Amino acid sequence: MTEQLFKQAKDKLQEIKDYLVANNAELEQFRIAFLGTKNTIRPLFSEIRNIDNARKKEYGQLVNELKQTAEERFEQLKGGLTSAATEHVEKPDLTRSVNANNIGTRHPLSLVQEQICDIFKRIGFTISEGPQIENDFHNFTALNFPPHHPARDMQDTFFISESEIALRTHTSSVQIRVMENSEPPFRTISPGRVFRNETISARAHCQFHQVEGLYVDKNVSLADLKQTLFFFANEMFGQGTKIRLRPSYFPFTEISAEMDISCFVCDQKGCNICKKTGWVEILGCGMVDPNVLNNCGIDSEKYTGFAFGMGVERIAMLKYKVNDIRLFFENDVRFLQQFASVV
Ligand code: DAH
């Protein structure tokens, strides 16, 4: 019996010495087991009456040592936990990802606008920009929309006041600024934001972006326009893309056309994107009206030109199958992050 009780006490001593904790909850378990009111050392004290008289003193020392060791071990374990916690705060975590902060991505409209500009830059077009707040002359009158002309209704906009100042409805206004300030020949494209008084919906917004194109020189013809746009369509939507021009009307071009491309989604078999026609409209274009050249001091007897204008949102929506224009302006990172890999 005595031997057995000695063994039991020694095992417990070893258990306390070897005890490890990983967190505060485990430390608390240790405290309850060895230092709490119902601790497991206390019953060993009462066993003293079952020890042979000769060894009672030795046993008493052993259980006292048990109690003391438990107290010391508790302090050690507690110290270990707090130093581990401070260590964590003080030392940098070298295993963390290098890009712990989320890095933003380029906006899909910037990406598409840049793709468009890059294609035209490769065939000698320069980039020109103009103000978003325009006067009536550059946005309408010089482009052959006289005051009260019904064509102005197609582009209702926001007027700053009763005056001549308005938010531009198209980047065609930059054509005028370029022609006023330089001598032909010039080939230029003008990207930028435009505004219209539109009800916001999945298909329309009161702000969007356009890229305007203008080429003025001697003997510029419709064939040049078609070839330039054919090159653009193939670069932008893939080799093998077909184009077609449909007659249309714009005050600043004569003749005027809308350009469609063959539907790259269904390969002209008919789908929702092309509304089962096999063609999708992507831009307006035409030969610059001689009146517009003359309004800008360019001799229309000597020079001719072509122009075109396309909506960046429309092209981005087609290319990346975005079904709601509002997504471009909401800045929801879940949407924007999907373009992270587009370069
Ligand atoms: N400015 C026109 C619009 O916003 C687009 C356009 C059509 C521009 C024909 C042009 C053009 O230069 O020739 O609807």
Side-chain angles (χ1 to χ4, degrees):
M1 183 69 174
T2 299
E3 280 313 313
Q4 226 179 332
L5 290 171
F6 263 94
K7 182 171 183 317
Q8 195 183 325
K10 280 181 183 157
D11 285 351
K12 185 140 301 253
L13 187 66
Q14 200 55 47
E15 185 190 344
I16 293 168
K17 283 182 176 165
D18 294 343
Y19 207 100
L20 292 173
V21 295
N23 50 41
N24 284 334
E26 287 181 17
L27 181 69
E28 179 62 5
Q29 276 168 19
F30 177 92
R31 195 193 60 76
I32 293 167
F34 302 108
L35 303 169
T37 44
K38 290 184 181 160
N39 69 64
T40 55
I41 300 175
R42 184 170 296 193
L44 301 186
F45 277 97
S46 39
E47 295 288 1
I48 199 147
R49 59 184 147 142
N50 299 320
I51 300 284
D52 295 343
N53 279 345
R55 299 190 71 192
K56 272 200 186 354
K57 190 174 167 204
E58 191 190 340
Y59 183 83
Q61 281 168 350
L62 181 61
V63 280
N64 271 330
E65 187 188 340
L66 259 178
K67 194 172 165 224
Q68 211 180 328
T69 309
E71 277 161 6
E72 283 165 12
R73 186 75 190 145
F74 179 76
E75 290 306 322
Q76 274 174 4
L77 293 172
K78 191 165 138 189
L81 280 185
T82 31
S83 71
T86 29
E87 236 169 60
H88 185 74
V89 172
E90 283 166 6
K91 284 191 192 164
D93 178 0
L94 299 179
T95 64
R96 270 178 72 181
S97 152
V98 192
N99 298 327
N101 295 332
N102 282 338
I103 293 178
T105 57
R106 299 197 53 207
H107 194 280
L109 294 178
S110 306
L111 292 166
V112 171
Q113 186 171 294
E114 193 173 286
Q115 285 168 11
I116 298 169
C117 291
D118 277 349
I119 295 169
F120 286 106
K121 276 198 270 184
R122 280 174 12 225
I123 49 172
F125 281 74
T126 59
I127 309 276
S128 42
E129 285 178 316
Q132 293 178 9
I133 301 173
E134 256 305 0
N135 54 31
D136 184 277
F137 177 76
H138 289 93
N139 197 79
F140 293 120
T141 311
L143 284 159
N144 214 22
F145 294 79
H148 311 297
H149 191 283
R152 288 192 176 209
D153 286 351
M154 297 195 298
Q155 302 194 4
D156 189 13
T157 185
F158 302 97
F159 286 86
I160 300 298
S161 63
E162 296 290 297
S163 73
E164 299 272 278
I165 308 296
L167 298 182
R168 69 180 176 192
T169 58
H170 49 184
T171 44
S172 303
S173 54
V174 188
Q175 277 189 25
I176 304 300
R177 292 186 174 272
V178 170
M179 290 196 275
E180 280 174 333
N181 295 314
S182 37
E183 285 289 313
F186 37 70
R187 262 174 288 187
T188 189
I189 48 169
S190 321
R193 188 185 298 248
V194 301
F195 308 85
R196 298 221 183 146
N197 188 4
E198 295 267 359
T199 305
I200 297 172
S201 70
R203 312 243 103 229
H205 211 287
C206 60
Q207 56 170 339
F208 54 99
H209 297 77
Q210 287 187 335
V211 175
E212 179 80 13
L214 175 70
Y215 178 24
V216 179
D217 200 350
K218 288 179 184 145
N219 300 322
V220 175
S221 72
L222 188 67
D224 298 318
L225 172 64
K226 276 182 78 175
Q227 196 57 40
T228 305
L229 294 178
F230 179 71
F231 171 78
F232 166 72
N234 276 268
E235 292 297 305
M236 192 74 196
F237 299 102
Q239 297 303 316
T241 303
K242 286 179 264 181
I243 63 165
R244 76 173 183 189
L245 298 188
R246 274 180 296 107
S248 184
Y249 170 77
F250 299 103
F252 37 89
T253 43
E254 179 64 33
I255 58 167
S256 306
E258 311 267 2
M259 186 180 92
D260 299 339
I261 56 166
S262 51
C263 184
F264 55 91
V265 177
C266 63
D267 213 8
Q268 296 202 287
K269 290 187 187 70
C271 67
N272 285 345
I273 304 277
C274 64
K275 300 197 192 81
K276 308 257 186 283
T277 64
W279 296 95
V280 266
E281 183 190 316
I282 60 158
L283 54 81
C285 60
M287 300 305 293
V288 180
D289 192 302
N291 285 345
V292 175
L293 295 173
N294 294 335
N295 287 343
C296 301
I298 293 174
D299 184 353
S300 60
E301 297 289 325
K302 209 164 146 195
Y303 293 106
T304 50
F306 69 63
F308 55 87
M310 64 188 95
V312 179
E313 281 77 359
R314 173 150 179 79
I315 294 190
M317 286 171 84
L318 280 173
K319 209 170 159 162
Y320 297 111
K321 304 198 180 70
V322 176
N323 59 10
D324 194 323
I325 194 172
R326 291 169 291 200
L327 288 165
F328 292 119
F329 302 103
E330 283 168 358
N331 282 336
D332 184 333
V333 286
R334 290 168 302 178
F335 172 70
L336 299 176
Q337 283 289 336
Q338 293 178 49
F339 297 87
S341 62
V342 181
V343 279

